[in-house]
Amino acid sequence: MLRSDGRAQEQTPLNRTGADEAAARLPTLIVVVVAMAAVSLAVAVRTGAYLGPEAYTSIAREFPGSAVATAAAVLRSVAEMFSVLSLGTLTLGLMFISRTRSLGWSSASHSVRGMLRIFSAVWSTTALILIVVDALNTNGTSFSALGGPSQLWFALTATFYARAWLIVFGAAFLVFVVSMFAESWAAHAFALGVGSVSVLAPVVISQVLVGPNHDLAEDAAMIQTPVIAVTLGAAVTAVFVELLHPRIGLLRRLARSWMLWLGILVIVDFDIVITWFKLAGQTLSGSITGWQMLIRWVGLAVIVIGLLRARSGRSPWAIGAVLVGFTGWSAMTAAMTLAPSPNYFAQTRTIEVFLGYAVDAAPEFLTLLSAWRIDLLMTTIAAVAMIAYGVGRQTIRRRGETWPLLHTVSWMAGWVTAIAVTSSGVGKYSTADFGLHMVVHMVLNMIVPILLVLGGPLSLLQQATAGSGRVALQIHARIEALIMWRWTKFLLHPLLVFVVYVSSLYILYLTPVFGSLVQYHFGHQLMNVSVLIIGCAFFSLVVGIDRLPAELPQLGRLGFLLAAMPFHAFFGIVLTTAQIPVAQNFYRSIDLDWLDISGAQAVAGVAVWAGGQLPLLAAVIILAVRWTRQDGRADSRADDVRRLHGERDAYGDALARLARRGAGAPTGRRGSASDATASQQAGALQDHDAL
């Protein structure tokens, strides 16, 4: 399916036998998938009918009519199931199907690719229809009430749901296109990344957006949702492959993968956080949401039992358990979106509506140091990055190789800084104070990226996977393929990176974009992650030690830095002198007694100026030190070359004197000494040449 060299696998008699076997078993697989979808649809329709109009009126929405409500429930159920199946199929292909070129895998790879095409086609089609249907559903508009394009346009723009499903449709269609036309591993890996991020769109604007502590719930959902898709999706897809190709034993191989069990552990951990948030103090048996959570947990437990049996080789029981457990999990996940959870009705202050927590005290110095509130998303990303880096470094050391300690310290310091600036009082108050927000922005965009790129994570990964072992060598080859992929070259092109890095400040803060994003926790996290990625891309070209598709010469790197400095300085001046504060309507709406909106903007301007110039100056110093060292090494090599040339000239002179002596030149005491010296020099130089 996904060959690193981009070529399709050859068809052989053994492959054709596997294909014939899969074709004979295909009706069974179709029946299984249809049955799973039918159960999920039945649960969604029954839940919607049981809740009725009260599910809408209880949260101040108009009931759109039974037809729209039922269509939305059915389509959401289908989208939930087939998004997981699509991303799981991609994951399975990247992990196992593409791992070997042996002839026995070709028929399975074709089966996986066929499933990916069908699943992604259903997913993208459903998401496309949901753009309209869910817009009507959330606006309380029935099909019969649509009087013309103006009403449809109002429904599409009045809430986030239409835009969310548009994002999902774009990613799903990309997955479908890749499954149809792409052969490379890098293209499928890119599609998996885009798809895993896109499934967050309808999640972060739904139940986890409402109520006290929703910042923690949204972070948990942002982490859990992609993990569910790739983990449970891969498990179910492995069952489908097992049904078509029982001799491969793919389910057993997946069940023995530590990555699968790590994913399940992440699902359980963050589901506890989401359950705590949604119940809002109620018991599991005290609401429909609680019972839905319990049924989901039972489904997950059945999946775990099936995987444990598959791990020990008991495939028939394992197949049934995984299918039943996943159907229950998927059906309840879709049904949960229909029932308003208790967190909707929890008592909430105005500030908690926007932030998820209160910030009553003024952000004094001691408050900023002591008032910590964990940023689950950034802390989890940082923890995973530091653990993975440590594992890679330990792998290198076990082989007897070395990895510079300074690189490790820089990488760890970068992530510790990211945790500190987002989880300390600075990060907590940054959602309510524009000045502190800009401090967080500049640290994540300037300081943290410099530290991270000096850690050389790609170089570490390449060195750690360059050892012996088939799997390690294949991972190494795929990393190389991903780095040298033409779209990676495009995304990391110096001109594009520079334009995005410089313009992002102006686009974000001098347009309505910031005013729209700052009202929501997912908007803050989107900004934090985006500025961190943009900063890493910029500084990887300037002071990074990793090998990239497009590398700048030393003079070009210096020009890169110097060209960026005026833009930050000018933006700081713009903020400081602006008459209308950025996002002033939002900051007025949160109504904090201690907040000075104009003063916060002045602090933001200073933060941009100092936070932009000082890190760039530090990067210039780093670049200058490297340049000096490089010149020193070049001078040393030049001295070695000159010394060698001098020695060779002396060697030639010595040979000439020996030749004259052999021709009968007169010798004396002084000449004998000279000839002896010449002989010694010739012998030494011959030894040098031999070395």
Side-chain angles (χ1 to χ4, degrees):
M1 177 188 174
L2 315 176
R3 289 274 296 276
S4 297
D5 57 4
R7 293 173 296 170
Q9 296 178 357
E10 297 179 358
Q11 290 295 315
T12 66
L14 181 58
N15 295 335
R16 286 192 293 270
T17 301
D20 294 340
E21 183 182 35
R25 295 173 176 269
L26 183 59
T28 302
L29 177 60
I30 295 175
V31 170
V32 168
V33 174
V34 171
M36 292 170 60
V39 171
S40 184
L41 294 178
V43 171
V45 172
R46 184 68 185 90
T47 302
Y50 173 77
L51 295 172
E54 187 179 354
Y56 294 81
T57 58
S58 63
I59 56 175
R61 286 182 181 173
E62 293 186 18
F63 182 59
S66 299
V68 172
T70 302
V74 169
L75 291 170
R76 283 184 180 183
S77 179
V78 174
E80 168 67 26
M81 174 171 287
F82 282 90
S83 66
V84 174
L85 292 178
S86 299
L87 298 178
T89 306
L90 265 176
T91 304
L92 192 73
L94 293 171
M95 287 180 62
F96 292 106
I97 300 301
S98 60
R99 178 170 289 183
T100 177
R101 300 180 181 182
S102 60
L103 299 179
W105 283 83
S106 182
S107 57
S109 69
H110 286 296
S111 298
V112 170
R113 184 161 192 168
M115 287 190 291
L116 179 59
R117 289 172 176 172
I118 295 173
F119 295 157
S120 60
V122 175
W123 180 26
S124 58
T125 303
T126 306
L128 180 62
I129 300 173
L130 273 168
I131 295 174
V132 176
V133 173
D134 219 6
L136 300 177
N137 181 56
T138 53
N139 280 284
T141 305
S142 63
F143 289 125
S144 59
L146 282 176
S150 60
Q151 288 182 309
L152 177 60
W153 179 252
F154 173 78
L156 293 175
T157 56
T159 67
F160 280 127
Y161 282 91
R163 281 166 276 181
W165 287 113
L166 180 61
I167 293 172
V168 174
F169 166 71
F173 188 71
L174 172 66
V175 174
F176 174 72
V177 171
V178 168
S179 70
M180 291 294 296
F181 303 108
E183 293 284 347
S184 70
W185 186 91
H188 287 78
F190 178 76
L192 176 61
V194 173
S196 298
V197 174
S198 73
V199 295
L200 296 176
V203 173
V204 297
I205 62 173
S206 58
Q207 294 177 348
V208 293
L209 183 61
V210 182
N213 301 307
H214 71 257
D215 59 312
L216 301 177
E218 282 213 287
D219 284 352
M222 290 178 196
I223 299 167
Q224 187 200 52
T225 303
V227 175
I228 288 173
V230 300
T231 302
L232 301 188
V236 178
T237 306
V239 169
F240 294 163
V241 175
E242 194 84 5
L243 290 174
L244 296 178
H245 307 275
R247 291 180 294 179
I248 291 178
L250 185 59
L251 182 61
R252 182 178 68 255
R253 294 182 62 187
L254 180 64
R256 293 177 179 178
S257 170
W258 63 268
M259 295 180 65
L260 175 77
W261 296 104
L262 179 61
I264 291 176
L265 180 62
V266 170
I267 293 172
V268 172
D269 289 343
F270 289 102
D271 211 50
I272 293 174
V273 177
I274 295 173
T275 302
W276 161 77
F277 164 75
K278 285 190 173 184
L279 294 181
Q282 295 189 16
T283 62
L284 284 170
S285 59
S287 65
I288 294 177
T289 299
W291 284 106
Q292 290 172 329
M293 285 288 189
L294 283 173
I295 296 174
R296 280 214 324 170
W297 290 349
V298 171
L300 183 61
V302 173
I303 293 174
V304 170
I305 293 172
L307 292 173
L308 289 174
R309 295 182 71 89
R311 189 182 180 94
S312 61
R314 301 168 185 172
S315 183
W317 286 96
I319 289 175
V322 172
L323 292 177
V324 171
F326 175 76
T327 303
W329 173 280
S330 179
M332 283 300 105
T333 300
M336 283 173 59
T337 63
L338 306 176
S341 51
N343 60 282
Y344 273 98
F345 312 105
Q347 187 174 2
T348 309
R349 297 171 54 188
T350 301
I351 189 66
E352 292 175 327
V353 171
F354 292 104
L355 310 186
Y357 54 87
V359 284
D360 296 325
E364 304 292 343
F365 180 73
L366 291 179
T367 303
L368 296 179
L369 290 180
S370 59
W372 282 60
R373 184 177 182 86
I374 186 171
D375 186 314
L376 276 179
L377 179 63
M378 189 62 70
T379 301
T380 302
I381 294 173
V384 171
M386 288 190 288
I387 292 172
Y389 195 96
V391 172
R393 185 174 186 271
Q394 191 62 27
T395 301
I396 292 173
R397 290 174 62 88
R398 279 199 302 265
R399 293 206 305 259
E401 302 174 10
T402 59
W403 181 256
L405 178 61
L406 188 60
H407 293 174
T408 304
V409 172
S410 179
W411 178 262
M412 299 301 176
W415 285 116
V416 170
T417 303
I419 294 174
V421 78
T422 55
S423 296
S424 66
V426 176
K428 179 180 179 180
Y429 277 82
S430 68
T431 55
D433 187 300
F434 184 60
L436 292 176
H437 165 84
M438 194 56 67
V439 170
V440 173
H441 179 117
M442 298 311 295
V443 171
L444 292 178
N445 192 234
M446 307 286 287
I447 299 175
V448 172
I450 291 176
L451 294 171
L452 294 182
V453 300
L454 289 175
L458 289 180
S459 300
L460 175 71
L461 184 59
Q462 289 172 309
Q463 187 173 342
T465 56
S468 59
R470 177 175 58 88
V471 175
L473 292 176
Q474 288 167 347
I475 294 175
H476 181 81
R478 285 172 188 158
I479 294 170
E480 291 284 342
L482 188 59
I483 292 174
M484 302 310 297
W485 189 39
R486 64 179 181 272
W487 287 105
T488 305
K489 295 180 181 179
F490 171 76
L491 293 174
L492 290 179
H493 191 280
L495 181 59
L496 177 63
V497 171
F498 181 83
V499 171
V500 172
Y501 179 76
V502 169
S503 64
S504 59
L505 274 174
Y506 296 85
I507 294 174
L508 179 58
Y509 296 109
L510 300 185
T511 67
V513 173
F514 179 75
S516 299
L517 293 177
V518 73
Q519 304 176 53
Y520 308 99
H521 179 72
F522 69 81
H524 286 280
Q525 297 296 49
L526 177 61
M527 287 186 284
N528 287 345
V529 174
S530 298
V531 299
L532 178 60
I533 293 173
I534 292 172
C536 287
F538 179 82
F539 286 105
S540 65
L541 294 171
V542 177
V543 296
I545 63 175
D546 290 323
R547 182 177 62 85
L548 298 175
E551 295 187 352
L552 295 171
Q554 294 293 343
L555 188 59
R557 297 185 179 199
L558 181 60
F560 224 53
L561 284 172
L562 296 178
M565 283 185 172
F567 291 96
H568 282 84
F570 179 73
F571 184 75
I573 295 173
V574 170
L575 286 183
T576 306
T577 59
Q579 298 298 318
I580 301 177
V582 175
Q584 64 172 342
N585 292 334
F586 164 74
Y587 290 114
R588 287 176 178 174
S589 66
I590 58 179
D591 193 24
L592 294 172
D593 296 334
W594 53 263
L595 180 59
D596 178 5
I597 299 176
S598 298
Q601 176 133 333
V603 172
V606 175
V608 172
W609 187 89
Q613 303 305 306
L614 296 179
L616 287 175
L617 182 60
V620 170
I621 294 174
I622 294 172
L623 191 59
V625 171
R626 285 189 183 172
W627 202 345
T628 302
R629 290 180 177 177
Q630 186 180 35
D631 289 343
R633 288 192 294 267
D635 292 341
S636 178
R637 286 193 296 269
D639 291 340
D640 291 339
V641 170
R642 285 193 294 269
R643 180 176 55 82
L644 182 59
H645 288 170
E647 291 175 349
R648 290 189 181 277
D649 291 341
Y651 175 49
D653 293 340
L655 290 179
R657 286 195 294 270
L658 289 175
R660 287 195 298 270
R661 179 185 177 187
T667 60
R669 185 174 180 87
R670 178 182 294 269
S672 298
S674 176
D675 291 343
T677 303
S679 299
Q680 292 175 359
Q681 290 177 343
L685 286 168
Q686 287 173 344
D687 292 340
H688 183 277
D689 289 344
L691 292 174

